[in-house]
Amino acid sequence: MNVGDRVRLMSGREEGIITRLLDNNLVEVAIDNDFTIPVARREVVVIAAEEQKYMQQDETIIQPSKRKEPVAPVLAAQGVYLALVHQSEELLAVTVINNSDYDLLFTSGEEREKNYRGLQNDKLAPKATRTITHYHLKEFEKWPNLLIQFIQHRNGSPSIFEPVVKRVQFKASSFYKSKRTAPVLNKEAYLFQLDQKPVTVNPDKIKEQLAEAVEKSENYKLTAPEHEVDLHIEKLVDDHSGMSNNAMLKLQLERFQDALDRAMATNMHEIVFIHGAGNGVLRKELQKILSRTQGIKFYEDARKEKFGYGATLVRLK
């Protein structure tokens, strides 16, 4: 017997769903998907899948007014989910869903005021599900936190996966907004994704990245720009014959911004940008950037006797 199995009481004609395994000899059964009672295992019998399917079809024919339109499935991201699915208007089946291409080893339990109680553990194949417990909506305020621990695995995988521990706390403000179609089950549910993406651990790759970062930090030294920075395009590239005006302007502005940043970072007092007279486009763009940049005392035309109107002096704070 498992949580979620539909059973019939041998002492009567009542039917229900197993909501908890209380111990080796006792189970909790929700009668008519509503009130729950403890029942000895020997007093219940699992309803065969074929019988249950037949009864559901028969019930649909007898009570067509209760027929529900199928929920349209939606594409869900791969991963591990917790879904609370209505068994009735009041009773919810809490189900772990493995919507991935990996095997899933998991344990689950409830946490009440730091006291832990284990529920279920299992190995789920890809695209498989397992019901771990049931909750009543009328007792929402009394629901415990759910603690799900899992690890993904696949034979032949070249790397390992980090274990994941997820604590799910149910809050009314977010719970009722989480309703959507659950993957694999293709049923409407209150859905919570327990992972984002499987996180692979590659120790060699991590060491290599750390070594590269250390080497870069040790070798990198911030240098101040020249006092006079010539932004004429022929000074920046060897051959600009195939460049458009926009491409040339973009390159000139990038060189200007780099020199200005380094001048400010190295505490230079002033710097001169040579842009030429021309049609004044580059000069206007420089002044536009300078006007909204903090850390600048003022800017003005550089010495006319040397540069004419083709250079701008920037005085830094």
Side-chain angles (χ1 to χ4, degrees):
M1 292 182 185
N2 293 309
V3 171
D5 286 346
R6 188 164 187 83
V7 295
R8 181 181 295 114
L9 273 62
M10 297 180 66
S11 59
R13 303 191 60 178
E14 293 90 348
E15 295 179 3
I17 294 174
I18 295 179
T19 56
R20 291 175 184 269
L21 305 177
L22 299 178
D23 58 35
N24 291 334
N25 301 312
L26 205 63
V27 296
E28 183 183 81
V29 179
I31 304 297
D32 296 326
N33 294 336
D34 193 0
F35 67 93
T36 57
I37 58 172
V39 183
R41 290 190 183 221
R42 65 177 181 274
E43 295 295 327
V44 298
V45 59
V46 177
I47 298 176
E50 293 77 9
E51 180 183 355
Q52 185 174 347
K53 182 177 179 182
Y54 172 79
M55 292 176 63
Q56 289 174 343
Q57 290 175 343
D58 187 54
E59 182 179 329
T60 303
I61 295 172
I62 295 173
Q63 302 179 17
S65 61
K66 293 186 179 181
R67 182 182 299 146
K68 294 183 179 181
E69 294 296 326
V71 178
V74 296
L75 293 176
Q78 284 206 335
V80 182
Y81 291 84
L82 186 73
L84 285 83
V85 186
H86 277 283
Q87 302 295 290
S88 69
E89 185 175 349
E90 177 64 27
L91 188 67
L92 297 171
V94 184
T95 306
V96 175
I97 300 175
N98 181 18
N99 185 35
S100 76
D101 298 325
Y102 297 86
D103 290 328
L104 183 77
L105 308 175
F106 83 91
T107 66
S108 61
E110 296 176 334
E111 190 179 56
R112 298 178 187 269
E113 298 179 354
K114 296 184 180 181
N115 293 320
Y116 179 80
R117 174 179 176 272
L119 290 175
Q120 301 282 333
N121 65 84
D122 204 351
K123 175 183 177 181
L124 292 182
K127 311 302 179 184
T129 67
R130 174 69 184 270
T131 299
I132 58 174
T133 189
H134 290 74
Y135 291 143
H136 290 270
L137 273 176
K138 63 184 178 183
E139 299 174 351
F140 182 85
E141 298 300 327
K142 299 179 181 179
W143 285 7
N145 297 333
L146 276 175
L147 197 64
I148 312 294
Q149 304 175 80
F150 64 88
I151 187 170
Q152 292 174 290
H153 168 76
R154 181 162 59 193
N155 290 339
S157 177
S159 56
I160 62 174
F161 294 94
E162 288 185 343
V164 176
V165 179
K166 183 72 174 182
R167 179 177 283 99
V168 182
Q169 297 177 305
F170 299 105
K171 298 180 180 179
S173 58
S174 57
F175 178 79
Y176 291 100
K177 296 178 183 178
S178 66
K179 184 177 285 189
R180 50 198 178 101
T181 303
V184 183
L185 293 174
N186 288 332
K187 294 180 180 179
E188 192 174 51
Y190 302 99
L191 192 66
F192 305 88
Q193 187 165 4
L194 302 179
D195 71 330
Q196 295 303 318
K197 288 183 179 179
V199 181
T200 57
V201 180
N202 190 329
D204 293 335
K205 187 65 176 178
I206 293 175
K207 289 179 182 178
E208 181 182 334
Q209 291 173 343
L210 287 173
E212 290 178 356
V214 171
E215 183 179 355
K216 287 181 180 178
S217 64
E218 290 178 348
N219 295 337
Y220 180 74
K221 184 178 180 181
L222 184 65
T223 57
E226 298 289 335
H227 179 256
E228 296 177 0
V229 180
D230 196 336
L231 298 177
H232 283 95
I233 193 64
E234 60 270 15
K235 299 292 185 179
L236 305 182
V237 292
D238 295 332
D239 183 11
H240 62 278
S241 57
M243 297 180 66
S244 66
N245 290 335
N246 286 338
M248 288 189 285
L249 179 61
K250 182 175 181 294
L251 180 60
Q252 290 169 314
L253 291 176
E254 288 176 351
R255 184 61 59 86
F256 159 75
Q257 189 67 62
D258 174 70
L260 180 62
D261 290 344
R262 288 191 290 126
M264 297 176 71
T266 54
N267 297 315
M268 289 179 63
H269 297 294
E270 63 178 31
I271 185 171
V272 176
F273 293 99
I274 305 170
H275 45 70
N279 54 17
V281 173
L282 180 57
R283 179 173 180 267
K284 290 179 182 178
E285 289 297 323
L286 298 188
Q287 292 180 352
K288 193 184 299 182
I289 295 172
L290 292 170
S291 65
R292 59 173 184 261
T293 301
Q294 295 183 351
I296 293 175
K297 189 177 294 185
F298 65 86
Y299 58 91
E300 62 183 3
D301 288 333
R303 287 186 300 156
K304 295 183 178 61
E305 62 272 20
K306 182 176 181 180
F307 303 107
Y309 291 95
T312 297
L313 169 67
V314 181
R315 193 64 60 84
L316 305 172
K317 291 182 179 179

